[in-house]
């Protein structure tokens, strides 16, 4: 372009207005990126998404059922206390209760990540059926009293609240610029509440709930989600202020407690806690919650996706030893599901039986070669006749037919596995010292790893079962029969018939023993020892009694008990074989426990050390590739400074450190080592060095010291 002008000027040339194509990415595109096999990645993503949606729906329904009891109790508490505000009696006790603030102490346990779901459900239920005025609070947003009151007013009034602090004014969101700012005080809240209740009591107005319609003054409920994290002084001052407005505002508190109810006594002195009318509520323990989730999602043939024993052990260990969070356990399950469908091309068969049979017929030759390379299928081929082995390895059509048969067998295996697992757990969960575990998940992990009947714990459990009394054994067998009744498998129906026949034998034994007991005299085994005898006669009698015990015949109950336990042992050996013994188990079972542990149980110290000593591991830049134990001179400044500080002692001279750093950087810049400027410290290198040292200090590798001038102290040793 050129311009002609009489005088010099500035000309602007705008680019042509061409519409740029906006690139939009679908979720499936991220799934296909880096996928093991991109040909069927879309189908695998669809199967994965559908399976997770079904599991997520069942999880939400399950959590609603588990929280229903505690939520219903809280709703009943709020309704009851709200009615006292409406109809205050004149007796002294009622007036005293009216002067106190009703408070529900909700003990939720230490699984803090799960609390958000509970409080969200509680807030929704309260707003639907009790009152629209609910203010949930968290400690991180209520560091001072003014911030606590500001959050309460903002949650209730849905407006911008001014705290009259010029130094700590928060930026107002653009969506709230049109809203009028109000003063942060309880008098403002009182005026707003009076205005709101007058509007709601106006005739002709429709209300959202019939329960709220009955109340002319719905309560104001303030929820403290994490009571232990609140500043005790701030909480005390807030309660004291609220107590002055009880006659004007129907206030109610809900304390979310993670540890124990004694937290209230520790945080609030008697002068403050006496202003509260506290009622305790206990939620379901997180271990029971986890057991229910595992029972509904994992120990069921409804979902084809399964976890191996090692992966299951990793997820349970993270739950037990880190956070007790069921929510994080479910996230780990979701991660395992995603990893399985992303990295296993044969996961197209991880679906319902009908879909899997259809997908088998659509497998390509490459997919069938992957099936032939599966360890479980290779073992299956080795067990076949020579001609059958040739057909399996060469004929794709025959291969598909065999795969269909194996998939059907695997689905039958799961239908029979879980009922027998529950029966074995029912029999052994009440034994002393719990040889096979107290929870069914422990028994399930044992069965996944190897043959459970080869464990010493199993042999110990069977010995203890042989010592059970008749009532205990019959009760356990009846529980097993109840477990097998809803199962639709033909084999399980046959097992149920055998079990009911065994129970009928026990019942006939009871009737026969009652008839035989009538008119019989019970003789003492030591009857011959009652009379006087000499030492020789005593010794002879004892030897005869010992011999009689050895040759004593088993009673009818003992024979029947052994028969029942042999029946149970046969079921265990037949139906509880590990999934590794089943052909094509890799299609359904995810076994990469190291990947799950690396993602969920991260080690920050190891990651930082790896990044500093080997930056190529994360940056994947070829110029940073070096031999073990060395760092490239082109590495980031913090990596160079970290490598140099490893060569120093407890105290590091900053000037010597800077000189060494400057030499390395000069070599990276390609300067001549014989030149005068090589290794010279300029302002830019000095600034880069100071920044790198500050970053190391922030990461905890060193600290400043006053022992020597211009020195810093090293804090890590042994390459840590």
């Amino acid at each position: 372009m050129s311009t002609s002008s009489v005088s010099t000027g500035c000309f602007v040339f705008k680019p042509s207005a061409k519409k740029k194509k906006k690139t939009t990415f679908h979720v499936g595109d991220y799934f296909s990126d880096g996928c093991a096999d991109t040909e069927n990645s879309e189908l695998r993503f669809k199967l994965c998404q559908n399976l997770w949606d079904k599991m997520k729906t069942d999880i939400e329904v399950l959590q609603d059922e588990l929280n229903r009891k505690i939520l219903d109790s809280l709703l009943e508490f709020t309704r009851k206390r709200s009615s006292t505000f409406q109809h205050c009696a004149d007796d002294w006790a009622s007036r005293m209760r009216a002067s106190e603030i009703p408070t529900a102490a909700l003990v939720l346990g230490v699984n803090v990540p799960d609390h958000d779901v509970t409080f969200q459900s509680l807030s929704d239920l309260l707003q639907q059926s009790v009152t629209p005025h609910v203010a949930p609070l968290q400690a991180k947003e209520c560091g001072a009293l003014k911030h606590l009151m500001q959050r309460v007013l903002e949650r209730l009034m849905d407006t911008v609240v001014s705290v009259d602090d010029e130094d700590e004014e928060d930026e107002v969101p653009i969506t709230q610029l049109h809203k009028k700012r109000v003063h942060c005080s309880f008098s403002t809240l009182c005026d707003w509440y009076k205005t709101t209740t007058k509007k709601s009591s106006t005739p002709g107005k429709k209300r959202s709930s019939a329960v709220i319609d009955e109340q002319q003054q719905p309560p104001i409920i303030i929820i403290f989600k994490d009571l232990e994290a609140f500043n005790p002084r701030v909480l005390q001052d807030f309660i004291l202020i609220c107590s002055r407005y009880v006659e004007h505002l129907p206030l109610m508190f809900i304390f979310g407690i993670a540890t124990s109810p004694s937290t209230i006594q520790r945080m609030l002195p008697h002068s403050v806690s006496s202003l509260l009318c506290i009622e305790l509520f206990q939620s379901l323990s997180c271990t029971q919650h986890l057991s229910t989730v595992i029972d509904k999602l994992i120990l069921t043939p409804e979902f084809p996706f399964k976890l191996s024993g090692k992966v299951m052990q990793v997820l349970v260990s993270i739950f037990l030893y880190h956070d007790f969070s069921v929510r994080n356990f479910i996230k780990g399950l979701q991660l395992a599901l995603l990893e399985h469908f992303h990295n296993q091309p044969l996961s197209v068969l991880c679906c319902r039986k009908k879909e899997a049979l259809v997908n088998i017929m659509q497998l390509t030759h490459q997919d069938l070669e992957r099936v032939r390379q599966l360890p479980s299928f290779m073992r299956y081929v080795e067990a076949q006749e020579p001609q059958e082995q040739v057909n399996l390895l060469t004929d794709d059509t025959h291969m598909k037919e065999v795969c269909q048969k194996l998939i059907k067998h695997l689905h039958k295996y799961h239908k029979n596995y879980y009922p027998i697992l529950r029966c074995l757990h029912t029999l052994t969960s009440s034994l002393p010292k719990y040889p096979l575990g107290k929870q069914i998940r422990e028994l399930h992990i044992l069965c996944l790893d190897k043959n459970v009947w080869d464990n010493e714990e199993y042999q110990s459990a069977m010995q203890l079962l042989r010592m059970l009394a008749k009532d205990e054994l019959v009760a356990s067998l009846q529980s097993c029969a109840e477990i097998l009744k809803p199962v639709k498998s033909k084999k399980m129906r046959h097992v149920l018939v055998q079990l009911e026949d065994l129970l009928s034998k026990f019942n006939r034994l009871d009737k026969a023993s009652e008839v035989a007991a009538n008119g019989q005299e019970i003789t003492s085994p030591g009857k011959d020892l009652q009379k006087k005898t000499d030492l020789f006669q005593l010794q002879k009698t004892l030897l005869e009694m010992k011999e009689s015990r050895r040759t004593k015949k088993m009673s009818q109950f003992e024979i029947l008990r052994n028969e029942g336990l042999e029946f149970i042992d046969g079921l265990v050996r037949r139906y509880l074989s590990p999934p590794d013994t089943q052909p094509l188990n890799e299609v359904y079972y995810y076994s990469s426990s190291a990947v799950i542990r690396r993602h969920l149980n991260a080690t920050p110290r190891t990651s930082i050390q790896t990044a500093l000593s080997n930056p190529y591991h994360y940056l994947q830049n070829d110029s940073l590739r070096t031999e073990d134990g060395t760092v490239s001179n082109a590495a980031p400044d913090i990596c160079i400074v970290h490598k140099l500080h490893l060569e120093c002692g407890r105290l590091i001279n900053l000037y010597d450190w800077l000189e060494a750093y400057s030499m390395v950087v000069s070599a990276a810049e390609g300067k001549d080592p014989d030149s005068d400027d090589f290794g010279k410290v300029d302002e830019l290198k000095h600034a880069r060095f100071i920044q790198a040292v500050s970053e190391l200090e922030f990461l905890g590798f060193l600290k400043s010291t006053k022992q020597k001038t211009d020195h810093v102290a090293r804090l890590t040793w042994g390459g840590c």
Side-chain angles (χ1 to χ4, degrees), residues 116-338:
D116 291 338
V117 178
T118 304
F119 282 118
Q120 183 62 42
S121 302
L122 177 61
S123 300
D124 295 340
L125 288 176
L126 290 174
Q127 291 178 346
Q128 292 174 6
S129 57
V130 179
T131 174
H133 312 312
V134 180
L137 302 174
Q138 285 185 310
K140 63 181 181 181
E141 57 186 8
C142 304
L145 179 61
K146 59 184 178 182
H147 297 144
L148 175 58
M149 296 183 63
Q150 180 185 16
R151 297 295 178 266
V152 171
L153 267 65
E154 286 178 350
R155 301 285 194 278
L156 295 174
M157 302 172 62
D158 190 23
T159 186
V160 181
V161 180
S162 175
V163 295
D164 294 336
D165 193 344
E166 297 179 357
D167 296 334
E168 299 183 5
E169 282 189 352
D170 297 331
E171 294 184 0
V172 181
I174 299 177
T175 56
Q176 295 183 356
L177 288 175
H178 65 282
K179 296 183 179 180
K180 183 179 179 181
R181 299 176 68 93
V182 297
H183 185 63
C184 182
S185 65
F186 262 85
S187 59
T188 304
L189 183 61
C190 290
D191 296 338
W192 169 83
Y193 184 75
K194 291 179 181 178
T195 305
T196 305
T197 52
K198 285 181 180 179
K199 289 181 180 179
S200 61
S201 61
T202 304
K205 299 273 187 175
K206 293 185 178 180
R207 298 185 181 89
S208 59
S209 175
V211 178
I212 300 176
D213 188 45
E214 297 175 357
Q215 302 178 5
Q216 297 179 357
Q217 294 183 343
I220 297 176
I221 301 177
I222 302 175
I223 302 176
F224 299 87
K225 292 184 176 181
D226 45 353
L227 183 69
E228 290 90 345
F230 277 85
N231 188 336
R233 188 62 189 173
V234 172
L235 192 62
Q236 294 170 22
D237 294 341
F238 181 75
I239 294 174
L240 289 173
I241 295 174
C242 290
S243 64
R244 303 295 179 90
Y245 290 87
V246 172
E247 298 180 356
H248 307 284
L249 296 173
L251 295 170
M252 296 177 63
F253 293 158
I254 296 179
F255 289 162
I257 302 174
T259 52
S260 66
S262 60
T263 303
I264 299 177
Q265 301 176 355
R266 179 177 55 83
M267 297 183 64
L268 304 177
H270 181 266
S271 58
V272 178
S273 60
S274 60
L275 302 174
L276 306 176
C277 181
I278 302 175
E279 188 170 340
L280 184 64
F281 297 89
Q282 181 73 46
S283 68
L284 185 70
S285 67
C286 53
T287 53
Q288 294 176 338
H289 193 168
L290 177 69
S291 299
T292 308
V293 170
I294 291 177
D295 187 69
K296 297 296 183 182
L297 296 183
I298 298 177
L299 303 181
T300 174
E302 182 180 358
F303 300 109
F305 174 71
K306 308 295 178 184
L307 299 178
S308 68
K310 292 183 178 179
V311 175
M312 186 77 178
Q313 186 64 52
V314 168
L315 294 178
V316 173
S317 298
I318 293 175
F319 172 84
L320 293 176
Y321 300 115
H322 286 80
D323 52 13
F324 286 102
S325 173
V326 179
R327 178 183 178 186
N328 290 345
F329 180 88
I330 296 172
K331 289 292 183 181
L333 178 63
Q334 182 183 9
L335 174 62
L337 176 70
L338 186 62

Side-chain angles (χ1 to χ4, degrees), residues 454-552:
D454 292 337
N455 292 330
E456 295 181 1
E457 293 82 0
Y458 178 80
Q459 303 299 332
S460 176
M462 296 305 292
Q463 290 179 1
L464 291 173
L465 287 174
R466 289 188 177 93
M467 301 170 61
L468 283 181
K470 181 172 57 178
D471 296 339
E472 296 176 344
L473 182 60
V474 170
S476 299
L477 293 177
Q478 287 177 346
S479 301
C480 294
E482 294 296 328
I483 293 173
L484 296 175
K485 283 182 180 179
V487 182
K488 298 180 180 179
S489 173
K490 294 181 180 179
K491 293 183 179 180
M492 290 299 102
R493 290 177 182 175
H494 180 64
V495 171
L496 177 61
V497 172
Q498 292 178 304
L499 187 57
E500 290 177 345
D501 183 45
L502 186 64
L503 287 172
S504 63
K505 291 181 180 179
F506 276 104
N507 294 331
R508 289 196 297 268
L509 181 63
D510 290 340
K511 297 178 180 178
S513 60
E514 291 177 1
V515 174
N518 295 331
Q520 291 187 359
E521 181 181 355
I522 301 175
T523 60
S524 174
K527 181 179 180 181
D528 296 336
L529 299 179
Q530 302 296 329
K531 57 185 179 179
K532 283 188 176 182
T533 182
D534 55 3
L535 183 60
F536 176 77
Q537 189 67 27
L538 175 63
Q539 186 178 6
K540 181 180 178 181
T541 306
L542 291 176
L543 289 174
E544 291 176 355
M545 292 174 60
K546 184 178 181 181
E547 187 67 22
S548 65
R549 287 196 186 98
R550 288 180 179 177
T551 59
K552 181 182 178 181

Side-chain angles (χ1 to χ4, degrees), residues 299 412-428 436 440 443 447 452-453 458 480-481 483-484 487 489 491-496 498-499 567-577:
L299 303 181
K412 292 179 181 179
Y413 164 79
H414 287 140
K415 286 185 178 180
N416 300 329
Y417 173 88
Y418 295 111
I420 300 302
L421 179 73
R422 298 181 194 279
C423 292
L424 181 60
H425 173 68
T426 301
L427 289 168
T428 60
L436 292 180
I440 191 172
L443 177 59
C447 295
V452 66
W453 55 86
Y458 178 80
C480 294
I483 293 173
L484 296 175
V487 182
S489 173
K491 293 183 179 180
M492 290 299 102
R493 290 177 182 175
H494 180 64
V495 171
L496 177 61
Q498 292 178 304
L499 187 57
F567 172 69
I568 296 296
D569 182 65
L571 294 178
V572 171
R573 294 175 183 270
R574 183 176 181 182
Y575 296 109
L576 291 189
S577 57

Side-chain angles (χ1 to χ4, degrees), residues 10-22:
C10 180
F11 301 92
V12 178
F13 299 95
K14 295 183 179 181
S16 58
K18 295 181 179 180
K19 293 184 179 180
K20 296 182 179 180
K21 295 182 179 180
K22 294 183 179 180

Side-chain angles (χ1 to χ4, degrees), residues 40-96:
N40 56 5
S41 60
E42 294 183 3
L43 177 59
R44 284 151 55 192
F45 173 72
K46 182 180 179 181
L47 292 174
C48 177
Q49 195 172 30
N50 293 339
L51 182 57
W52 174 247
D53 290 342
K54 181 66 170 63
M55 297 175 72
K56 184 179 179 182
T57 303
D58 289 2
I59 290 171
E60 293 174 353
V61 173
L62 177 63
Q63 289 179 338
D64 290 340
E65 293 177 355
L66 293 176
N67 293 329
R68 181 177 301 169
K69 183 177 180 180
I70 185 67
L71 293 179
D72 290 345
S73 301
L74 286 170
L75 288 178
E76 183 63 25
F77 168 78
T78 54
R79 291 194 186 105
K80 180 180 177 182
R81 295 300 179 182
S82 177
S83 63
T84 59
F85 290 126
Q86 310 299 327
H87 310 286
C88 294
D90 295 332
D91 58 295
W92 179 83
S94 299
R95 288 198 303 270
M96 286 299 296

